Amino acid sequence: MVIATASADGGEIARKEVPNTPDEILGILNPLVKQWFFSRFKEFSLPQLFGVMEIHSRGNILVSAPTGATKTLTAFLSILNELVDCSQKGILEDRIYCVYVSPLKALNNDISKNLKEPLEEIEKLAGKKLGIRVAVRTGDTTAAEKSKMLRKPPHILITTPESLAIVLSSSKFVAHLGRVDWCIIDEIHALAENKRGVHLSLSLERLQRLSPAMTRIGLSATIAPLEEIAKFLVGIADVGSGKYRNCKICDVQFVKKMDLKVISPVPDLIDASQASMRDAMYTLIDSLIQEHRTTLIFTNTRSATERVINHLKEKFPKNYATAEQTIGAHHGSLSKSHRYGIESALRSGKLKCVVSSTSLELGIDIGYVDLVILLGSPKSVARAIQRIGRSGHRLHETSTGRIVVLDRDDLVECAVLLKSAIEKEIDRIHLPTNCLDVLAQQIFGIAIADRININDLFSMVRSSYCYHNLGFNDFKDVLDYLAGKYISLEDRHIYAKIWYDESTGMVGRRGRLSRVIYMTNIGTIPDETFVTVKISGTEQVVGKIDESFLERLKKSDVFVLGGDKYQFGHAKGMVAYVKGSVDRPPTIPSWFSEMLPLSFDLASSIGRFRRLMEEKFNHNRSREEILEFINSYLYVDGNSAQSIYSYFREQFLFAEIPHDRKIVIESYAEDRRHYAVFHSMFGRRVNDCLSRAVAFAISRTQHRDVEVGITDNGFYVAYEKPFNATAALKLLKSEKLPQILSAALEHTEILRRRFRHCAARALMILREYKGYTRRVGRQQVSSQILINAVRRISPDFSILKEARREVLEDLMDLPAASAVLRLLEDGKIKMKAINTPMPSPFAFSIVLEAHTDVMRMEDRQEFLKRMHQKVLERIGGKAAL
């Protein structure tokens, strides 16, 4: 049974609600494949019952299932079956039948191994060679291997999005892509939410143009909204009507059992000392590791990964600091050989524990893991399920996850996250659209491959979900840039890359070096490196910071490096110039750039829980009644419920409980500085928008250049003299927010850096040219000159326009921030301004963010205890009443 959901555009995206029967699948399987399958497996898995027949019938399909639920075999079973059948009948052709695309080279190598082994086993059963070829083509593939593929194309080509784009523009190899039957996109959730996915969506349209009968297969872990991901997978069938290609969705996300708990190492999260809390946390982690065979620990930052391993080795040397390695680190800053070594040791069962930042989230085979520990909130429900799904990797095993929390905000956040995970409320991902830099790169690649009419080109581009509402003017602006219409750019060594004949409407490649330039500069992941920090007026180097951290700095911001405070002045290339001997507190924590942002949907769920708690207190419910509500609403233990009750009670008695329908603006003065704390529970991406807009409004109307600090739960603004924060928020109107934020961003470091990324993707700045590699510093210097050149052409020059869109929609969340302001304007969200003698309990973590760098963790905990004691003293009388 299939439940069809017609989209607003007229296409049919249908959920398949009833699986096929095992007999139906058995009826299509070749006897050899059937014999092999049941030598390895007892029965068909649920994803296989849903998906195999659809793939066999050449139907587009999106299979969403947890890690270890046999998605990959679901995708390949029909394909292997057909290839074995063709081989036995002597009709196997020298062509590519299937293209498999995944985001990771390591995953590609896994798949190659996992396909070649079954084929060898099937050949052993057949007693002869079947001649079915599987090959991997990535950036690591040698020239000899590529030549071999040209002579004898693989029947299954395994590749990455970037390498797929290269072969589509390769005049010799493209001949093998003329009759592709299937294209599998694995880990589609990891691609759809970034520009690699946008790039891939255009490559899929190019591949579909070569192979019109191609079937698309998407494999995804837990994700939402599935209908949007399905549209991303299949694209538009008819641009004129806007009808999507048909696609079946098989949603079997929750077939696996999950054993999830939020745990705290201490019963009291506020009054415990930092030393005792840390000691209890590592004792708890060690006991959990020792109770399980193999444990995978996720931290949210690379630095925390190293810190956890170091503490475990120091505290429990017998368990971890032995001659035989039992614990290892895995994160993106480590060498490829180290990461592969850790993955290999995991597969062979040699490691007791691995600590990772985010690098082991995706589905490479890491062997047997029976426990996943999350240190702190993963900030999204989908990410939590993805991480915890790495345990109990086999189909019928239970995924066991423990989230360890160390403060009260984390406790509430993780408790609500767990409720959402158990009750199947998955936060939605953001899919970038109309990315003009990616469009420029792909049009260049298309022109290299063949001549094409502009109308056909525009139609093909708009067939991609990511460009389905692209305006012709934006498309034409990109074409004009590529065709060299802007002569002034030649002064910056930016020349025409394509030719466009307006009389015939034809587009084609230009210049002998076009293909080499394209092949050596393709991709969407920007080059990033460390930025050197120097004292202004000298050449004294004080250290290095991440480029993503520099993006967040504005003039006069204060940050800590090497234990000292510095005030940011300006940046040139990859050098940041600063002043030393600063007496102000930091405005940007040094770890800010590493932090994962809380998703808008999860933030809204936390806001809803806050509102329900406020209602209980407003109706004078007893402690027992409120505790009963907490225990029935959340999945927490007794200690956690008591901590949550106390936290909310203190906030209610001291100030106001902010929630999803009430923004509280809390003003107080401290150390001759005036603070306004905005309790806006909408996630950091929205708070980034709102805080910049509020600061811009204050600077324009009240002539105060305020300090800003942003968190997931809200933000604060501060200044030496009084200012009116509430009036600034009231000035903001939803329809004007894009213009306000564009003006606020115009001369910021974040726009300059993002323009460089976009200019490199659009091939305005070449990373590789005639055998020379341009370092990131030179790229940045070029982009700073270039940004002024394109502003002179037009403030809305296509690539500058894209840099603004990327900051506002991908890095921040302008649409959600605009929606919040609309709800304020309609009175559906209330705004309440209050004055407090000191920060309220909910404000502790917001105002503490700015001071974290100059406070040791011990002092931070002491500060929290001291503030907590003051709050208790102030609410003592109210509490008695």
Side-chain angles (χ1 to χ4, degrees), residues 51 82 122 199 284 310 320 322 398 426 580 619 641 653 672 699 713 734 749 751 754 775:
E82 181 130 343
I122 291 170
H199 194 270
L284 171 65
N310 184 53
Y320 308 107
T322 57
T398 299
I426 310 300
H619 288 91
L653 293 173
R672 288 180 293 178
S699 70
N713 298 2
S734 56
E749 199 59 45
L751 185 65
R754 294 292 164 148
R775 290 182 296 106

Side-chain angles (χ1 to χ4, degrees), residues 626-668:
I626 297 175
L627 281 170
E628 186 181 332
F629 164 71
I630 294 170
N631 282 312
S632 64
Y633 191 83
L634 301 175
Y635 299 82
V636 292
D637 62 15
N639 279 341
S640 298
Q642 181 59 54
S643 288
I644 292 169
Y645 168 77
S646 300
Y647 189 29
F648 276 80
R649 178 176 174 273
E650 289 162 19
Q651 179 69 23
F652 177 76
L653 293 173
F654 185 84
E656 290 267 344
I657 294 179
H659 48 68
D660 59 335
R661 295 183 189 170
K662 180 171 66 174
I663 294 174
V664 174
I665 304 170
E666 174 185 340
S667 300
Y668 69 95

Side-chain angles (χ1 to χ4, degrees), residues 519-685:
M519 299 296 185
T520 53
N521 288 276
I522 196 170
T524 60
I525 301 171
D527 289 340
E528 290 200 7
T529 187
F530 289 107
V531 176
T532 302
V533 179
K534 292 183 178 180
I535 301 291
S536 294
T538 74
E539 287 302 305
Q540 181 189 343
V541 175
V542 295
K544 293 179 183 289
I545 55 176
D546 283 343
E547 190 177 1
S548 53
F549 177 65
L550 177 63
E551 280 187 350
R552 294 285 174 177
L553 295 175
K554 62 182 188 298
K555 191 172 182 179
S556 299
D557 268 342
V558 176
F559 64 96
V560 172
L561 183 61
D564 294 316
K565 289 183 286 185
Y566 298 96
Q567 183 175 318
F568 176 64
H570 70 285
K572 185 175 181 182
M574 301 310 289
V575 178
Y577 292 94
V578 299
K579 291 180 186 174
S581 306
V582 184
D583 196 30
R584 283 169 46 209
T587 56
I588 305 278
S590 65
W591 40 259
F592 188 96
S593 61
E594 285 191 309
M595 291 292 284
L596 296 166
L598 180 69
S599 72
F600 178 69
D601 289 340
L602 181 53
S604 300
S605 297
I606 296 166
R608 187 163 59 249
F609 172 66
R610 285 181 171 189
R611 173 162 46 87
L612 295 172
M613 286 291 284
E614 184 189 52
E615 288 173 5
K616 303 294 178 191
F617 285 110
N618 280 337
H619 288 91
N620 295 317
R621 298 286 185 248
S622 68
R623 175 178 174 275
E624 288 71 24
E625 286 175 303
I626 297 175
L627 281 170
E628 186 181 332
F629 164 71
I630 294 170
N631 282 312
S632 64
Y633 191 83
L634 301 175
Y635 299 82
V636 292
D637 62 15
N639 279 341
S640 298
Q642 181 59 54
S643 288
I644 292 169
Y645 168 77
S646 300
Y647 189 29
F648 276 80
R649 178 176 174 273
E650 289 162 19
Q651 179 69 23
F652 177 76
L653 293 173
F654 185 84
E656 290 267 344
I657 294 179
H659 48 68
D660 59 335
R661 295 183 189 170
K662 180 171 66 174
I663 294 174
V664 174
I665 304 170
E666 174 185 340
S667 300
Y668 69 95
E670 181 183 74
D671 295 334
R672 288 180 293 178
R673 283 180 76 74
H674 296 264
Y675 288 83
V677 179
F678 288 72
H679 294 273
S680 47
M681 191 72 225
F682 305 113
R684 189 176 311 131
R685 292 174 65 226

Side-chain angles (χ1 to χ4, degrees), residues 74-87:
T74 298
F76 276 117
L77 191 57
S78 288
I79 297 165
L80 285 176
N81 184 65
E82 181 130 343
L83 293 175
V84 169
D85 212 44
C86 288
S87 174

Side-chain angles (χ1 to χ4, degrees), residues 237-504:
D238 177 28
V239 171
S241 67
K243 184 178 180 181
Y244 288 93
R245 296 182 181 96
N246 291 337
C247 184
K248 301 278 176 62
I249 297 173
C250 299
D251 181 10
V252 285
Q253 296 177 31
F254 292 90
V255 295
K256 289 189 76 175
K257 295 175 186 171
M258 301 188 92
D259 172 10
L260 312 178
K261 283 181 189 169
V262 174
I263 52 178
S264 168
V266 291
D268 188 336
L269 286 167
I270 194 85
D271 286 328
S273 70
Q274 180 61 30
S276 66
M277 192 182 293
R278 186 178 60 206
D279 189 63
M281 182 185 80
Y282 285 110
T283 301
L284 171 65
I285 291 172
D286 176 64
S287 66
L288 287 169
I289 292 170
Q290 299 312 318
E291 288 167 9
H292 293 81
R293 178 177 154 186
T294 305
T295 299
L296 177 57
I297 301 175
F298 281 105
T299 66
N300 285 339
T301 65
R302 295 170 183 179
S303 56
T305 296
E306 299 289 354
R307 193 164 60 243
V308 168
I309 286 185
N310 184 53
H311 281 309
L312 283 172
K313 284 183 175 179
E314 283 186 359
K315 189 169 173 59
F316 306 100
K318 287 183 180 178
N319 292 341
Y320 308 107
T322 57
E324 185 183 338
Q325 188 187 23
T326 56
I327 190 168
H330 193 288
H331 58 71
S333 296
L334 297 168
S335 69
K336 188 199 305 183
S337 60
H338 177 92
R339 294 198 308 272
Y340 284 3
I342 291 293
E343 290 161 21
S344 177
L346 258 177
R347 282 191 202 100
S348 58
K350 291 178 182 175
L351 287 175
K352 184 76 177 167
C353 174
V354 170
V355 187
S356 171
S357 53
T358 58
S359 51
L360 285 176
E361 281 183 357
L362 294 184
I364 57 174
D365 181 9
I366 55 171
Y368 185 80
V369 171
D370 56 347
L371 175 67
V372 168
I373 298 174
L374 309 185
L375 295 184
S377 171
K379 300 295 179 182
S380 97
V381 180
R383 189 179 290 115
I385 292 172
Q386 173 81 354
R387 288 179 174 184
I388 292 164
R390 308 301 279 137
S391 73
H393 198 277
R394 294 174 181 82
L395 179 59
H396 297 293
E397 287 167 357
T398 299
S399 291
T400 305
R402 299 290 179 264
I403 308 178
V404 179
V405 296
L406 294 175
D407 65 55
R408 298 189 296 180
D409 283 319
D410 225 18
L411 171 60
V412 174
E413 184 177 309
C414 290
V416 174
L417 181 149
L418 206 62
K419 174 186 175 65
S420 299
I422 291 168
E423 297 179 1
K424 309 177 187 179
E425 292 180 7
I426 310 300
D427 28 26
R428 296 161 297 171
I429 65 167
H430 161 71
L431 280 71
T433 56
N434 298 336
C435 306
L436 302 181
D437 51 351
V438 175
L439 178 62
Q441 187 179 128
Q442 282 279 19
I443 288 176
F444 186 27
I446 292 163
I448 287 167
D450 200 4
R451 296 183 179 192
I452 187 170
N453 182 275
I454 185 174
N455 294 324
D456 293 338
L457 176 59
F458 186 51
S459 180
M460 181 166 69
V461 166
R462 287 197 57 207
S463 294
S464 155
Y465 171 80
C466 298
Y467 294 94
H468 70 278
N469 60 0
L470 177 72
F472 187 78
N473 287 343
D474 283 338
F475 169 77
K476 185 67 168 49
D477 285 348
V478 171
L479 208 64
D480 287 344
Y481 143 62
L482 289 170
K485 180 179 178 181
Y486 307 109
I487 304 297
S488 61
L489 288 178
E490 292 189 2
D491 295 338
R492 304 276 14 109
H493 308 292
I494 297 169
Y495 303 100
K497 294 174 177 60
I498 64 172
W499 58 258
Y500 167 46
D501 186 333
E502 293 198 28
S503 61
T504 62

Side-chain angles (χ1 to χ4, degrees), residues 141-154:
T141 306
T142 65
E145 288 170 324
K146 289 174 185 175
S147 297
K148 186 178 175 183
M149 284 183 217
L150 273 176
R151 293 191 303 273
K152 282 276 188 182

